[in-house]
Amino acid sequence: MSTASAAARWRLLWREPQVRRGLIITLLVTVVAVFGPLLAAHAPTDMVGPVYGAPSSEAWLGHDFLGHDVLSRLLAGGLSVLWMSLAAALIALLVGVSLGLAAGFSRRRLDQTIMWGADISLAFPDLILVLLIVSMLGRQPWLIVLTVSIAFIPGVIRLARGSTVAVASQEFVEVAQMMGYSRRRILFKEILPNILTPLLVHFGNMLTWGVGILSGLSFLGYGVAPPAADWGLMINENQAGLLVQPWPVLAPALMIGIFAYGTNILAEGIGRSAARIGDKQA
């Protein structure tokens, strides 16, 4: 596929309303998470009001189980969830694509070895695997990110490998081989640009799953440690007062849901647009 053809596909992709809507929602939540701490009226650990205090003009979302300002903790609590989910998805994408390309292009013993390892890893449910490793080795952020990425890598490998096998049999790849191009150039210049669309769809799905897993870990007490602000941790800490003051639970749950919705429809929009482009080309 030529560079011009690839550029045309990206333009068609951007014209998809669902892609634009999902990207806008995802970026809005990301902006809140990144710049929210600068807008918070109080530090996330400051006790500035009564326990489970009701919303007021000074605290729009009220106070939590220790008297923290809920809005301040909400603004400060999204960065950990977002950067960890983004880092885990990126690591899984880079490692999984590299292994999947190598497996799909070699189709020999290397292919069998890589896919054997991926199949074994897929036998363990993601959340169970993450909980097992974190409970044994600790809850440091870098370890949680690495563990979540390990859970995601087998799915990326299978997707990249299947897409590589389909593209590697096409004529332009055979021409590149006949011209004596190196394997690295064929993989990263000829094959990779043509399998980016399904990989981007899967990347969006991994962001959605990552936010869910990381929030679930914090809710279960295996994620970010208190007194740090974290959306999943906020839900865990304030669930006992849900009937008294629901905003410490509802606000972070809503932010998690909005981000997951944005990444989900973004991935779905990319998939639909890619299918539409394929139909036109057919």
Side-chain angles (χ1 to χ4, degrees), residues 1 4 40 71 116 120 130 153 180 197 229:
M1 180 179 292
L71 181 58
W116 177 77
I120 291 179
V130 173
I153 285 173
T197 299

Side-chain angles (χ1 to χ4, degrees), residues 101-272:
L101 284 171
F105 194 68
S106 67
R107 305 186 195 178
R108 296 178 181 176
R109 183 172 298 178
L110 178 63
D111 181 18
Q112 297 175 354
T113 302
I114 293 175
M115 296 311 299
W116 177 77
D119 290 341
I120 291 179
S121 300
L122 284 172
F124 296 91
D126 291 346
L127 184 58
I128 301 300
L129 177 63
V130 173
L131 280 173
L132 178 63
I133 297 177
V134 172
S135 62
M136 291 191 303
L137 301 181
R139 53 198 290 185
Q140 295 86 355
W142 67 268
L143 178 61
I144 296 174
V145 169
L146 183 60
T147 304
V148 174
S149 66
I150 290 174
F152 288 163
I153 285 173
V156 182
I157 292 176
R158 293 187 64 87
L159 176 61
R161 188 260 183 193
S163 301
T164 299
V165 169
V167 174
S169 61
Q170 297 187 14
E171 294 181 356
F172 67 92
V173 177
E174 296 178 356
V175 170
Q177 290 177 304
M178 293 175 59
M179 294 179 66
Y181 290 162
S182 66
R183 173 173 294 190
R184 176 176 297 181
R185 173 166 180 172
I186 294 174
L187 288 176
F188 293 101
K189 297 291 186 180
E190 304 294 336
I191 295 178
L192 182 59
N194 290 279
I195 65 173
L196 276 179
T197 299
L199 292 175
L200 286 175
V201 173
H202 194 71
F203 179 75
N205 290 330
M206 286 193 295
L207 283 178
T208 304
W209 303 333
V211 170
I213 290 177
L214 292 167
S215 300
L217 285 175
S218 296
F219 177 77
L220 295 173
Y222 290 95
V224 176
D230 178 86
W231 288 345
L233 184 61
M234 288 177 66
I235 298 174
N236 183 350
E237 292 173 335
N238 297 283
Q239 58 180 327
L242 181 61
L243 298 180
V244 179
Q245 217 297 56
W247 285 113
V249 173
L250 295 183
L254 184 62
M255 294 300 294
I256 293 171
I258 291 174
F259 184 77
Y261 172 73
T263 54
N264 187 51
I265 65 172
L266 175 60
E268 184 178 344
I270 293 174
R272 288 185 178 182

Side-chain angles (χ1 to χ4, degrees), residues 8-55:
R9 293 187 68 176
W10 283 108
R11 286 195 296 270
L12 291 173
L13 186 66
W14 177 247
R15 292 175 185 173
E16 176 68 33
Q18 198 169 9
V19 172
R20 296 198 301 270
R21 186 166 64 250
L23 184 61
I24 290 172
I25 293 173
T26 303
L27 288 178
L28 284 176
V29 179
T30 302
V31 168
V32 171
V34 173
F35 297 102
L38 302 177
L39 304 175
H42 306 280
T45 56
D46 289 347
M47 302 177 190
V48 294
V51 173
Y52 292 127

Side-chain angles (χ1 to χ4, degrees), residues 71-96:
L71 181 58
S72 295
R73 284 184 69 81
L74 183 72
L75 292 173
L79 187 58
S80 59
V81 176
L82 264 62
W83 83 257
M84 291 171 71
S85 61
L86 180 61
L90 282 174
I91 293 173
L93 186 69
L94 293 175
V95 176

